[in-house]
Amino acid sequence: MFTSRIPRSLAITALLFSVLSLSACSVAPPEGVTPVRGFQLERYLGTWYEIARLDHSFERKLDNVSARYSLRTDGDVQVINAGYRTDSGRRKEAVGVAKFIGAQDVGSLKVSFFGPFYGGYHVVELDEEYRWALVVGQNHKYMWILAREKELPQSIVDQLLAKAEALGFDTSELIWVEHDRADT
């Protein structure tokens, strides 16, 4: 019987490299989805309110959700996502960092809230005045409708839903976020 033994340090290094490689690959937009061009980060910075989202574990049972984007001294973007649990009323906050994947005039970034692991953040529809945006992740499980105000006119919502559906997102699964707290 032939057995070989891989040194533990080499196995750990190989595993870490594999995880990081997979993480790097997973940030691209879904096939057929093109992020906006002419993106201007300085106009995107500030507070955005979540109007709707597809369900995922890190925002489950949250309402009054907002995201605040600000420029860090190293040129990356600080992301602070906050919301209130619907069952307890407690505030939940996550602080992360976003970095451009390629050219800085393309609305395609990668965001991390958990160390070296990044997810895709792709702005696929954006108002000329930066009042609303449709953002998707690296696959069809992640989608958000964001706005500078806590509500959007139905005509804009309909436009964004049509765009999302054309890109292959199941909008029937959207969670419509309540914004009923005065302190958000």
Side-chain angles (χ1 to χ4, degrees):
M1 174 194 243
F2 176 76
T3 62
S4 77
R5 183 162 170 98
I6 299 173
R8 181 174 168 83
S9 61
L10 181 58
I12 291 171
T13 301
L15 177 63
L16 182 58
F17 179 75
S18 297
V19 168
L20 291 175
S21 295
L22 288 173
S23 175
C25 294
S26 69
V27 298
E31 189 173 331
V33 174
T34 304
V36 297
R37 306 255 179 229
F39 183 79
Q40 296 174 12
L41 177 60
E42 63 279 358
R43 294 182 68 196
Y44 198 81
L45 298 175
T47 300
W48 290 85
Y49 296 97
E50 192 175 273
I51 304 301
R53 69 172 180 268
L54 289 176
D55 190 28
H56 46 79
S57 62
F58 49 93
E59 282 188 281
R60 190 155 293 138
K61 294 186 179 181
L62 291 183
D63 268 338
N64 296 280
V65 179
S66 65
R68 190 171 59 240
Y69 305 93
S70 59
L71 197 58
R72 296 176 6 154
T73 57
D74 63 3
D76 291 336
V77 177
Q78 181 181 47
V79 182
I80 301 175
N81 286 347
Y84 290 83
R85 293 201 41 99
T86 57
D87 54 358
S88 68
R90 287 193 152 149
R91 188 171 192 271
K92 182 178 174 185
E93 181 177 283
V95 178
V97 62
K99 303 173 184 228
F100 281 96
I101 292 173
Q104 292 191 5
D105 67 338
V106 176
S108 190
L109 298 97
K110 59 183 183 177
V111 179
S112 177
F113 292 95
F114 312 105
F117 303 102
Y118 285 86
Y121 183 99
H122 308 286
V123 182
V124 297
E125 192 78 7
L126 181 61
D127 175 55
E128 288 180 7
E129 301 298 322
Y130 286 64
R131 293 174 297 191
W132 47 260
L134 177 63
V135 177
V136 304
Q138 65 272 10
N139 58 44
H140 286 90
K141 295 178 183 177
Y142 300 97
M143 188 198 91
W144 298 266
I145 295 175
L146 305 177
R148 296 293 190 172
E149 302 293 328
K150 295 178 181 181
E151 293 182 13
L152 274 176
Q154 190 61 47
S155 60
I156 301 298
V157 170
D158 292 343
Q159 174 186 332
L160 295 173
L161 291 175
K163 173 75 175 195
E165 289 168 4
L167 294 174
F169 289 86
D170 183 0
T171 61
S172 71
E173 295 293 319
L174 284 173
I175 294 170
W176 296 92
V177 180
E178 293 287 329
H179 287 283
D180 56 358
R181 294 181 65 107
D183 58 348
T184 60

